[in-house]
C-alpha cells in the first residue's frame, strides 16, 4: 500500500508510478511501472491498496516508489 498526494492546484489522471527494488548492497535489481487510470483530486491524499508489482526478486531488501508521470485533467 502507498499514498499519493498531488501537490497541484488542479486534478490529475493516469498516474504512473515507478518502483525500483534494491539489494542489500544498494544495487538496483528490479524495476516496476504501473499506471493508475483514475482521477486524483488536488491536494487530497489517496491510499492505493493491494498494489501488485509483479515478481519480487528473492534478493530484494528495499523497494522505493515515486510518481513518474501524470496527465492534467
Amino acid at each position: 500500500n502507498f499514498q499519493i498526494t498531488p501537490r497541484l492546484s488542479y486534478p490529475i489522471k493516469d498516474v504512473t508510478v515507478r518502483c525500483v527494488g534494491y539489494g542489500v548492497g544498494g544495487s538496483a535489481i528490479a524495476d516496476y511501472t504501473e499506471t493508475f487510470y483514475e482521477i486524483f483530486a488536488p491536494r487530497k491524499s489517496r491510499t492505493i491498496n493491494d498494489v501488485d508489482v509483479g515478481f519480487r526478486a528473492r534478493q530484494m531488501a528495499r523497494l522505493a516508489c515515486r510518481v513518474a508521470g501524470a496527465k492534467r485533467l
Side-chain angles (χ1 to χ4, degrees):
N1 301 342
F2 60 91
Q3 193 172 62
I4 295 176
T5 307
R7 295 182 184 142
L8 305 166
S9 60
Y10 51 85
I12 57 174
K13 66 176 185 169
D14 303 348
V15 174
T16 299
V17 174
R18 179 177 180 227
C19 298
V20 178
Y22 297 92
V24 175
S27 298
I29 59 174
D31 196 331
Y32 311 100
T33 303
E34 184 169 351
T35 300
F36 299 96
Y37 298 100
E38 301 177 30
I39 295 172
F40 293 81
R43 298 185 181 104
K44 302 259 184 190
S45 293
R46 183 134 162 233
T47 300
I48 306 296
N49 296 310
D50 302 321
V51 176
D52 182 10
V53 293
F55 175 74
R56 183 180 166 137
R58 187 172 55 101
Q59 297 177 345
M60 189 185 311
R62 181 173 65 93
L63 185 67
C65 299
R66 66 176 182 82
V67 174
K71 294 179 183 173
R72 187 176 183 156
L73 188 63

